[in-house]
Amino acid sequence: MTPVRTVHGRAYPLGRANVDTDVIIGAAHLKTTGRAGLGVHAFETIRRGPGNVFADPAFAGAPILIAGDNFGCGSSREHAAWALADMGVQAVIAPSFSDIFAGNAFKNGLVAVVLPQPVVDRLLEVAREQPIGVDLETMTVTTPFQDRFAFAMDPFRRECLMGGLDEIALTLASAAAIDAYERRTGT
Amino acid sequence: MTPRTLYEKIWDAHVVERRTDGTCLIYIDRHLVHEVTSPQAFEGLRAAGRLVRRPDLTLAVADHNLPTTARIDARGRRLPIADPAGAEQLAALEANVAEFGVPYIQATAPEQGIVHVVGPEQGFTLPGTTVVCGDSHTAAHGALGALAFGIGTSEVEHVLATQTLLLKPSRTLEVRADGGLGFGVSAKDVALAVIGRLGAAGGTGHVIEYRGDAFAAMSVEGRLTVANMSIEAGARSGLFAPDEKTFAYLQGRPMAPAGAAWDAAVERWRELRTDEDAPFDRSVRIDAATIAPSVTWGTSPEDVVPITGVVPDPDDFADPAKREAARAALAYMGLSPGERLQDVGVEHVFIGSCTNSRIEDLRDAARVVRGRRLDPRIKQALVVPGSGLVKRQAEAERLDRVFAEAGFEWREPGCSMCLAMNPDKVPPGERCASTSNRNFVGRQGPGARTHLLSPAMAAAAAVTGRPADVRELL
Ligand code: SF4
């Protein structure tokens, strides 16, 4: 995984709540055996509507997405995280994420930043005109207007993101403990 | 010892390693694999030169993509899958299980079915085990007292390689329902009531334990329906403490322990319950008697009303985000505030999915359908058994005839119209009464409008051409 320390640039001010995984990437696009190429199909139902943020050239290739509550709810499909990554999104900011999506995002080097709704509202407002910065080092989101919002992140996840670490390799370092567990429980 | 909840007991028993920040390496006892969320995981193993650590704890079956039309011709030869991408995913699964030595239920085998129907049915899912699958409705297996949850593909790869997952403990949420269910009220209505009460994100970060006499009185199949939909309230898992019904359900299943091992297992399983006085982080109570046969009106499973209800007015929602969501949902669903759900015509009926495709579900639906015919407005009505074994059982009970005589199509097992990935789809702008679990935008096909309800209610919709009050037809 590529290490990520900061993400800076325009942010899609999507804003809506309960953006489910079917909206992020429709089931018709899950019939792939690879991870790449899903970006063009992301948010298809939203893209079809008039005046949406994904059609606005100002946000083309934006590395950040700002959404409402419960982002990524629904299915466990990691294709949602792959599609975002394939679109060039490196960080998503929302008041809350579904548990499974948050895990999938992190495993693909996608930074999921949780901030309270009023802060997200402020960022949505700024994002319409200006870039946003997400800094894992200082754990802050900043705007060109001197806003500085601190966020919390699981230390292990942060370390993996910043180091670009492979979680399986880390776990395999505990192989002896897994062997011992299997012996102890007769599994 | 401090009193613990059922969840904490299962968790504690599976800790391989505890990190200082509370993260634990958790052992996974059972891993179900299907064709859609596994190809990239096997690819990852291959690229890193890794093996499947415990193929014996892994079980693969295809379900999501597989067409539900005939799979073999008159001479028993396997029929090709028309969709090249779907065929490729199935071929990839078959190649992967062969290469990595993973047990696999063939697409044409009588045991084939939806992962979450197959696991319990085969006795692969057992009380007190940890069960994962690259599918969010894995929560279903919690009906048997297993800690079961959906995972993403990277986690599938992690489990294949290490038989563990790195997890943070969840908070505990007690959902207690006491009292008896009213006439015509099913487990699905209870599940929808729970989601309506908690909200689609209400259970996020939590594991639900379903307690109280209403849940205790439920059959194992009903519990599978309820646990299955835990994810629709945001909870990754839902648990039922195993009891005599659970043991009776599992005894004699092909992969369940037998003989002396069975007796020893049951003895252990009897300990699997929340200690008295064990605190939950949150508790919600529902009066079972107040639950009515229900139907959803919007594009989130939390958008639920009793069948006698009307489409709500978005302006009545206090929360501006909810108001906006309701407005968008009504536009998508083609409904107006105040409209009676019973006046909304449907063109499609789908009885199936891992939520409601077991034998009891089909019996419930058949009871309503028997002696009636599809309403002429219905363009397509599908009954898709959850597994080949369910299908055979239903055929032995001649339920297939009941459905066929009414005008339903009787299909091969699979996910079918639950997710619009295989050929079974609802056309744009058309409306479906569906026993599945998600009414999301586009879930049953681009532009498709879904109303979630119970099998008996879906049957009622099929014979009346609208969401109808099943109590009037029983
Ligand atoms: S039936 Fe639907 S919810 Fe269940 S496993 Fe299949 S796609 Fe997922």
Side-chain angles (χ1 to χ4, degrees):
Chain A
M1 230 160 51
T2 327
V4 34
R5 290 170 174 275
T6 57
V7 182
H8 187 269
R10 293 305 296 269
Y12 297 104
L14 180 61
R16 60 172 93 183
N18 292 323
V19 173
D20 60 66
T21 50
D22 281 80
V23 166
I24 301 173
I25 186 83
H29 307 295
L30 307 188
K31 292 183 207 169
T32 162
T33 52
R35 286 175 159 96
L38 291 166
V40 290
H41 304 298
F43 300 106
E44 217 165 45
T45 51
I46 297 181
R47 280 180 210 259
R48 262 189 240 121
N52 69 80
V53 295
F54 301 109
D56 187 337
F59 303 113
I64 302 172
L65 180 101
I66 309 175
D69 240 339
N70 204 21
F71 185 80
C73 62
S75 127
S76 64
R77 61 187 70 159
E78 196 156 321
H79 307 69
W82 300 333
L84 285 165
D86 196 62
M87 274 172 78
V89 172
Q90 297 166 48
V92 183
I93 302 172
S96 69
F97 291 88
S98 96
D99 293 338
I100 302 179
F101 176 82
N104 285 341
F106 145 73
K107 291 191 168 67
N108 288 278
L110 195 63
V111 187
V113 178
V114 177
L115 283 167
Q117 187 70 53
V119 172
V120 170
D121 289 342
R122 164 72 183 154
L123 294 173
L124 282 167
E125 185 191 315
V126 174
R128 270 173 239 288
E129 307 292 338
Q130 298 290 336
I132 302 267
V134 175
D135 190 333
L136 279 177
E137 202 97 52
T138 56
M139 294 212 277
T140 51
V141 173
T142 50
T143 74
F145 304 107
Q146 314 300 318
D147 294 298
R148 193 183 159 85
F149 303 112
F151 61 86
M153 183 172 277
D154 180 276
F156 174 74
R157 286 193 172 175
R158 177 167 169 256
E159 191 188 321
C160 286
L161 285 169
M162 293 178 65
L165 302 177
D166 167 4
E167 202 186 303
I168 296 180
L170 292 176
T171 299
L172 286 173
S174 298
I178 303 172
D179 292 339
Y181 177 91
E182 287 176 338
R183 273 197 306 275
R184 179 160 60 79
T185 57
T187 309
Chain B
M1 214 165 156
T2 43
R4 291 178 300 166
T5 62
L6 172 56
Y7 165 69
E8 288 155 345
K9 288 184 184 181
I10 301 177
W11 176 274
D12 290 349
H14 288 85
V15 173
V16 173
E17 245 178 26
R18 202 181 299 271
R19 309 269 149 95
T20 45
D21 66 346
T23 308
C24 292
L25 195 61
I26 293 293
Y27 197 80
I28 302 302
D29 296 315
R30 299 284 185 267
H31 185 192
L32 286 155
V33 171
H34 65 85
E35 78 277 29
V36 177
T37 55
S38 67
Q40 294 85 353
F42 284 110
E43 191 47 49
L45 290 184
R46 206 174 284 124
R50 291 171 182 147
L51 298 174
V52 174
R53 182 182 171 97
R54 293 293 300 267
D56 57 321
L57 303 182
T58 314
L59 179 63
V61 63
D63 55 3
H64 281 61
N65 236 319
L66 221 50
T68 57
T69 42
R71 297 193 178 131
I72 46 174
D73 67 11
R75 292 170 55 192
R77 286 173 309 201
R78 195 159 144 181
L79 291 164
I81 295 177
D83 170 30
E88 193 189 318
Q89 264 191 349
L90 182 64
L93 179 68
E94 294 186 338
N96 286 329
V97 295
E99 178 181 342
F100 290 91
V102 171
Y104 171 59
I105 298 175
Q106 296 283 344
T108 50
E111 295 81 11
Q112 182 272 338
I114 306 172
V115 267
H116 310 313
V117 175
V118 168
E121 188 176 75
Q122 291 298 315
F124 183 69
T125 308
L126 295 173
T129 57
T130 45
V131 180
V132 298
C133 173
D135 183 282
S136 60
H137 291 93
T138 308
H141 306 259
L144 300 175
L147 177 59
F149 48 89
I151 57 177
T153 300
S154 293
E155 289 172 311
V156 170
E157 185 180 337
H158 194 279
V159 176
L160 289 172
T162 71
Q163 206 57 37
T164 63
L165 278 176
L166 210 44
L167 297 168
K168 271 255 163 71
S170 300
R171 277 162 296 185
T172 51
L173 168 56
E174 172 189 45
V175 173
R176 174 175 275 277
D178 287 305
L181 294 181
F183 174 65
V185 178
S186 71
K188 180 62 160 287
D189 300 304
V190 178
L192 290 170
V194 170
I195 297 156
R197 176 70 177 279
L198 290 172
T204 305
H206 292 79
V207 166
I208 297 176
E209 185 178 337
Y210 296 98
R211 285 151 61 85
D213 49 30
F215 291 122
M218 230 175 235
S219 68
V220 170
E221 302 212 337
R223 294 174 189 181
L224 283 159
T225 300
V226 170
N228 176 282
M229 290 195 72
S230 304
I231 182 72
E232 304 313 329
R236 231 171 145 173
S237 339
L239 277 169
F240 282 79
D243 61 7
E244 296 308 318
K245 284 185 195 173
T246 320
F247 310 146
Y249 174 92
L250 283 170
Q251 192 161 22
R253 302 268 169 192
M255 297 184 184
W262 169 261
D263 297 334
V266 170
E267 201 161 310
R268 276 198 321 276
W269 294 342
R270 286 192 209 281
E271 306 298 313
L272 290 169
R273 49 189 59 257
T274 291
D275 293 327
E276 228 158 300
D277 308 326
F280 285 86
D281 293 312
R282 260 177 80 199
S283 270
V284 170
R285 275 168 200 273
I286 293 176
D287 179 1
T290 61
I291 302 172
S294 301
V295 59
T296 61
W297 53 267
T299 53
S300 164
E302 70 178 26
D303 300 338
V304 63
V305 289
I307 181 62
T308 49
V310 299
V311 176
D313 188 336
D315 288 339
D316 293 344
F317 289 92
D319 174 1
K322 286 251 153 94
R323 209 177 301 146
E324 203 37 59
R327 234 173 248 134
L330 292 194
Y332 180 80
M333 294 295 290
L335 297 172
S336 347
E339 204 172 334
R340 275 167 33 100
L341 265 308
Q342 292 195 55
D343 295 339
V344 176
V346 299
E347 293 93 19
H348 300 264
V349 175
F350 171 53
I351 299 177
S353 90
C354 58
T355 309
N356 283 126
S357 62
R358 284 167 286 265
I359 190 69
E360 269 181 24
D361 300 315
L362 303 191
R363 287 181 192 143
D364 273 1
R367 200 168 303 133
V368 176
V369 168
R370 199 180 296 275
R372 295 188 169 106
R373 287 204 50 82
L374 291 186
D375 185 90
R377 283 171 291 189
I378 302 292
K379 293 185 183 166
Q380 187 176 40
L382 297 183
V383 185
V384 188
S387 73
L389 297 180
V390 171
K391 183 168 185 257
R392 287 186 173 190
Q393 174 68 29
E395 286 170 354
E397 298 178 22
R398 299 181 170 250
L399 303 183
D400 58 323
R401 298 253 198 107
V402 175
F403 289 116
E405 279 162 16
F408 280 88
E409 293 173 47
W410 180 248
R411 293 293 189 89
E412 296 298 321
C415 294
S416 184
M417 220 179 239
C418 175
L419 91 165
M421 223 190 140
N422 51 68
D424 304 340
K425 291 186 186 68
V426 178
E430 297 191 4
R431 210 175 279 287
C432 182
S434 178
T435 66
S436 56
N437 39 55
R438 286 192 175 134
N439 50 356
F440 294 168
V441 168
R443 173 75 179 183
Q444 293 195 291
R449 295 164 168 168
T450 303
H451 295 278
L452 302 176
L453 29 60
S454 72
M457 289 278 285
V463 298
T464 62
R466 60 190 174 83
D469 192 337
V470 68
R471 291 169 295 198
E472 292 163 11
L473 295 172
L474 284 172

